[in-house]
Amino acid sequence: MDVSRIRVLRGPNLWSRHTAIEAIVSCTETECAIEGLPGFEVRLRARFPHIGSLHPAGAAKAISMAHALEAAALALQSQAGCPVTFSRTVPTIETGVYQVIVEYSEESVGRLAFELAQQLCLAAVEDTPFDLADALKRLRDEDEDIRLGPSTGSIVTAALKRGIPFRRLTQGSMVQFGWGSRQKRIQAAETSATSAIAESIAQDKELTKMLLHAAGVPVPIGRVVETAEDAWAAAQEIAAPVVIKPRDGNQGKGVAVNISTKEQITAAFNAAVRISDEIIVERYLPGHDYRLLVIGKNLVAAARRDPPQVIGDGVHTIRQLVDKVNSDPLRGDGHATSLTKIRFDDIALATLSKQNFDAESIPPQGARVVLRNNANLSTGGTATDVTDDVHPELAARAVAAAQMVGLDICGVDIVCNSVHKPLEEQEGGIVEVNAAPGLRMHLSPSYGKGRAVGEAIINTMFEDGDDGRIPVVAVAGTNGKTTTVRLITHLLAQQGLRVGMTNTDGVYIDKQRIDTGDCSGPRSARNVLFHPDVDAAVLETARGGVLREGLGFDRCNVAVVTNIGMGDHLGLSYISTVEDLAVVKRVIVENVAPTGYAVLNAADPMVSNMAQSCPGEVIFFALDPLHPIMATHRAQGRRVVYRDGNDIVAAQGAQEVRLALKDIPLTRNGGIGFQVENTMASVAAVWALNQDWDVVRAGLRSFISDVGTAPGRFNLFDYRGATLIADYGHNPDAINALVKAVESIPAKRRSVVISGAGDRRDIDIRQQTEILGDAFDQVILYQDQCQRGRADGEVLGLLRAGLENASRTKETKEIYGEFLAIDTALASLAEGDLCLILIDQVEEALAHIAKRVAEG
């Protein structure tokens, strides 16, 4: 078994809406049916008993090694705790070659699972050991390292429940919610609205105390010290047990509480000074340690935090008891688990010393041994939910503290005997105000019920009904995609929207090109949705990007499919037929929002059949209003767009909106059929977005298909009284459409300049000149620099073969070089002639033509 190619499908794709790993797996003749490998399945199950069924419902009778790899890769992730359920193995047209698709929750974990699955299958074949425990540990460790922590994860989960899209910006906890101009960001429990100044205040514990005291909020007295001697002096001034902590610390690092002797204070100072140069000594407030979580202007959760501790059994040492507690799977080293392991450090030893214990002491049965006087979860403490017990006045004090500091999400640390009473009645106080507070204790407290703090944060960031999305239009098809994308973009811009657009020419943000080249894939789409100056996105969605990586978005408001034709890269990536191609193009339709629309060509059976895959509504378009699909759809009260004489009509039931073709320059008074279809598709798309019809009319009038607005899309030039048409048409369907358009333009003599893409099938290359040979008097064939894997002269030979039975072409020339071919065609033109130039290097060829036109 050989795995020759692995693709990571990061968005909805050909196989499912899940993120997935897709691999090309080649099996030997024996491996194509594992029944031919005696004992293989028994050995496989012996090494991995939880692998599950190798005989999925609907699978071929012969179960191959590829099926075993699929089952292993999915089950390994599942056993490691990853939430994955989808997998599939599909035979290709090549004997013994399969496409294996397995869902992943984290990309690196999915890749590792594939690698380990291969090792497992090989071990079963060769009857060698496979360390399952180590494999699962590697997967769990990788998953824990890479997946979002509980705080960030809870916010993301809440966003997904609201239908708000998210994108992880780093391997840490920075996440973007929403798209374009409606996006907002978080980093753990910090949001786009979190003030940097407020964070700085919260970091400075002395400044925080000063501001809270000025606001009348109870705080413990104390001051900043810089030496151990000064710390002892400050403690004597307070004349009571004290707390020593770093001025700018967090997570309880370097904090010692309830200490009073000079030795204790010196040791605590020396521990704290490792964290910060400035140390605070303040009065110790007796009571319990509470964390109150304030989000916006509301208290949403509260927990009592208890210090890390063990209970003696009269047998084990304190170190052994701590090891036993730390063996709990709920305790980890970081923030990925609900509890943190108890630390055995200098502070823990000093705390034990105060209780007349050391690490090797054996406490008596039932004795409570505290390892730390502070109760931070990050140092091994536990949490008990007390949200429902908080007195309204105490809650108001916590909210006032957060407001005084200026934090939108705030963890307020309070020490008091009970949260049932106001602070003033029990000599309690606020000891700290924390930016970016941890949420673990509220999500999964050690005792009590968890609180929906993720939802509270999302509800503060996004108002009810706001999903953070901008309108997204995805456009697919064989021909007409780029023009349709540009026209839709132009129409939306007339509404005052800043539109982000991707197509085969580049990426555009509000009419400015920010990237060049073929940008019709998912990465460019994601970049547009990532841009903060985009109010709407129109995305050309090419076949190649869908196959390589899936879609760059989870769903769209409008999916437009113009047509499905021959010659669009058939034979590549196991897309061998038009039916296969339609399945790829259909992906955008399958991922229309339930409230969205698919805009489909009713005259193309491959496209019209996609209607049944659309989760939303459908708008059909066609030149013929009497087409059965159009007539039925309209009779059902649904939307259709069609041509009626000199108008384009948008109709729903008895209601009609007419758009005069004479006011749509793109169509040349309706004479260019394929541009009429592109216009109908574009009109349907903006209708789906409820654009005002007066705005639509104005946009159609002002859109001109020239080199600036639609390069390589039926660009017209006047050259010495002859008509030049430059177009990027490069498949038989496009050539047919161009021929029909050319026939509507009067000309004394017609010539065409054409090459062929070497990565197309022989039949598709020949068919282009078969069509042109019946419509043009002169055909100039040229070979460009890039033959895409073809031998020198091979493409020219195929083009020449297509002209063998030409009914009109009387003159043929063969030229090496695109620009020389263009110049050869121009040299033979006379006034009243017409020349169609099928360009390859779009920008360079158009610049060359413009130069020749300017020279006259």
Side-chain angles (χ1 to χ4, degrees), residues 115-189:
E115 177 186 326
L116 293 171
Q118 287 178 258
Q119 295 173 15
L120 172 63
C121 290
L122 182 62
V125 169
E126 298 180 348
D127 199 10
T128 55
F130 177 77
D131 192 337
L132 178 62
D134 179 69
L136 294 177
K137 182 180 184 302
R138 288 175 63 190
L139 288 167
R140 290 191 187 105
D141 288 348
E142 179 66 21
D143 184 57
E144 183 172 326
D145 284 346
I146 202 70
R147 67 181 160 91
L148 292 170
S151 295
T152 311
S154 71
I155 304 171
V156 169
T157 299
L160 292 175
K161 287 180 180 177
R162 289 261 310 260
I164 299 169
F166 83 97
R167 179 182 179 185
R168 196 168 175 180
L169 302 181
T170 66
Q171 288 203 342
S173 54
M174 184 171 287
V175 177
Q176 173 179 311
F177 294 114
W179 289 333
S181 58
R182 299 179 67 185
Q183 66 181 267
K184 295 181 181 179
R185 295 173 183 169
I186 64 165
Q187 180 159 316

Side-chain angles (χ1 to χ4, degrees), residues 657-686:
V657 175
R658 289 184 171 268
L659 307 167
L661 286 166
K662 65 181 178 60
D663 294 329
I664 308 175
L666 176 66
T667 69
R668 292 179 66 88
N669 292 319
I672 306 176
F674 67 85
Q675 296 290 38
V676 174
E677 291 183 298
N678 291 337
T679 302
M680 290 192 298
S682 302
V683 166
V686 296

Side-chain angles (χ1 to χ4, degrees), residues 294-314:
V294 176
I295 298 175
K297 297 181 180 180
N298 299 298
L299 174 71
V300 299
R304 188 188 74 235
R305 300 185 297 181
D306 295 307
Q309 55 190 280
V310 294
I311 306 298
D313 60 3

